[in-house]
Amino acid sequence: MEVKGSHEDKSVVSFHSKDFINLQCSRRDLTAAGRYQYFMGTIIDAAEPLVMVKDANEIFSDNKITCIFVLGGPGSGKGTQCEKIVEHFGFTHLSTGDLLKAEMESNSENGTTIRNMRKEGKIVPSEVTIKLLQRAMQESGNNKFLIDGFPRNEENRAAFENIMNIQPDFVFFFKCSEEERKRRILNRNQGRDDDNIDTILKRFKVYEESTLPIIEYYRSKGKICEIDAERPVEEVFEVIYRQLVERMREGTDVEVCRKEEKAV
Ligand SMILES: Nc1ncnc2c1ncn2[C@@H]1O[C@H](COP(=O)(O)OP(=O)(O)O)[C@@H](O)[C@H]1O
Ligand SMILES: Nc1ccn([C@H]2C[C@H](O)[C@@H](COP(=O)(O)OP(=O)(O)O)O2)c(=O)n1
């Protein structure tokens, strides 16, 4: 474990586990999350910076890939929450929308296809998106991925499962009304070429027609973790945080965790 020093209200601690996991948290974060008493394999006393009793590596085995899909309509807050998850949990965040945009801007052979599809709010063929995802996953050196905005249709889903042979551990579904999403996108103000009302309405239609059935598919498999994304950012994150901690704990030896909790 490496303690990166303490300054004012922030005690920053990071630990690396066989190059796979790189977690960071601050005293403020831990205090906010204090009621959970548990942070990525670590029992936490919120009054103290950090008491480490267990290696994070015991939570995720080295060979296992953890893959969480993050789905929800355009503007539901996927990117916003993924950034926060990364801050706290050491995932690699792969936004397929961002990967495609970067590919478009690099003037690659697929650039024109991507530009045209984005303008129409259409879904880029899987072979392009999966190639970008594959590269980014390999380059990350991580084994925990938050895949944001993918799969967006049946073709995406089937191709990912067949080519990558990876099933998501579970799928976050951000539920948020169209009215609120439209309001957010029109205020997003990031200079996105597709954040104009014409393209927004096309994206909403494609989402309803092509992505909602994928969410129902994962629901039928018991993999959907539905989040009320209509609420303020911090409230949404609080729910996500709790879900992640619980789900990770379920994947580990609960008996050991309970014993250690009692010891705190
Ligand atoms: N819970 C929220 N409440 C209000 N505004 C939000 C919330 N989550 C995100 N936003 C804002 O809404 C816009 C869209 O969020 P973003 O994360 O880019 O959505 P997505 O990735 O799903 O398209 C951004 O400007 C973001 O700051
Ligand atoms: N898996 C994906 C993700 C995005 N795209 C395209 C189509 C989308 O309208 C744009 C923008 O996607 P992005 O996820 O960045 O944004 P929204 O969730 O639509 O707000 O990229 C795609 O074709 N396939």
Side-chain angles (χ1 to χ4, degrees):
M1 183 181 89
E2 171 197 350
V3 177
K4 278 200 174 160
S6 175
H7 40 92
E8 293 177 2
D9 65 331
K10 248 189 156 191
S11 298
V12 179
V13 180
S14 74
F15 55 96
H16 306 264
S17 177
K18 295 196 183 154
D19 295 328
F20 282 114
I21 298 173
N22 177 4
L23 304 169
Q24 287 206 340
C25 47
S26 70
R27 183 194 290 233
R28 197 167 36 205
D29 294 333
L30 298 182
T31 306
R35 65 176 177 273
Y36 302 116
Q37 294 286 302
Y38 185 88
F39 190 89
M40 291 294 295
T42 303
I43 303 294
I44 288 157
D45 176 350
E48 293 296 323
L50 201 65
V51 181
M52 188 131 351
V53 295
K54 197 171 177 216
D55 193 304
N57 211 29
E58 289 173 37
I59 293 226
F60 297 109
S61 83
D62 286 356
N63 299 322
K64 186 184 176 301
I65 287 187
T66 300
C67 173
I68 300 174
F69 289 152
V70 183
L71 296 178
S76 57
K78 302 180 296 293
T80 304
Q81 295 297 330
C82 284
E83 267 183 38
K84 296 180 80 65
I85 295 171
V86 167
E87 263 174 47
H88 291 73
F89 290 95
F91 279 86
T92 292
H93 170 209
L94 300 174
S95 158
T96 45
D98 288 353
L99 288 171
L100 287 164
K101 186 161 179 275
E103 181 73 2
M104 174 184 91
E105 286 166 355
S106 75
N107 287 326
S108 75
E109 52 173 331
N110 293 317
T112 311
T113 311
I114 299 172
R115 182 167 285 109
N116 291 337
M117 311 265 328
R118 270 174 66 93
K119 189 160 168 254
E120 292 304 312
K122 288 189 179 153
I123 299 166
V124 175
S126 301
E127 59 180 86
V128 176
T129 315
I130 289 178
K131 213 184 289 172
L132 297 174
L133 271 176
Q134 237 171 359
R135 195 196 303 156
M137 287 169 92
Q138 273 159 5
E139 284 173 1
S140 74
N142 201 345
N143 67 343
K144 295 198 298 164
F145 302 100
L146 271 181
I147 302 189
D148 162 5
F150 184 96
R152 257 178 150 88
N153 61 9
E154 177 55 25
E155 191 236 353
N156 275 179
R157 184 195 69 75
F160 184 82
E161 286 180 14
N162 293 335
I163 297 169
M164 307 286 278
N165 198 21
I166 297 175
Q167 293 279 342
D169 291 69
F170 66 93
V171 180
F172 275 128
F173 165 42
F174 287 13
K175 197 167 179 214
C176 187
S177 66
E178 192 169 306
E179 195 190 352
E180 172 67 7
R181 290 190 281 114
K182 196 197 295 176
R183 194 182 62 74
R184 288 183 190 174
I185 296 179
L186 290 173
N187 285 331
R188 181 151 58 181
N189 217 4
Q190 287 175 352
R192 279 179 58 155
D193 54 340
D194 56 349
D195 278 357
N196 59 76
I197 193 67
D198 276 0
T199 307
I200 290 170
L201 294 178
K202 286 176 182 159
R203 282 153 66 200
F204 283 3
K205 190 157 182 282
V206 168
Y207 167 71
E208 268 184 34
E209 289 174 358
S210 305
T211 313
L212 279 179
I214 301 305
I215 290 160
E216 290 317 313
Y217 169 84
Y218 284 120
R219 201 189 296 282
S220 75
K221 302 272 174 206
K223 291 209 169 188
I224 287 289
C225 175
E226 189 167 306
I227 302 292
D228 176 2
E230 196 98 17
R231 296 160 63 159
V233 172
E234 291 307 323
E235 286 181 32
V236 175
F237 184 63
E238 203 174 307
V239 176
I240 289 177
Y241 186 101
R242 206 175 325 127
Q243 285 291 337
L244 277 168
V245 170
E246 274 169 22
R247 280 160 196 269
M248 284 168 182
R249 177 188 249 159
E250 275 165 18
T252 182
D253 184 346
V254 178
E255 280 309 304
V256 173
C257 297
R258 287 206 185 110
K259 208 161 50 195
E260 286 172 352
E261 272 180 352
K262 275 183 201 147
V264 173

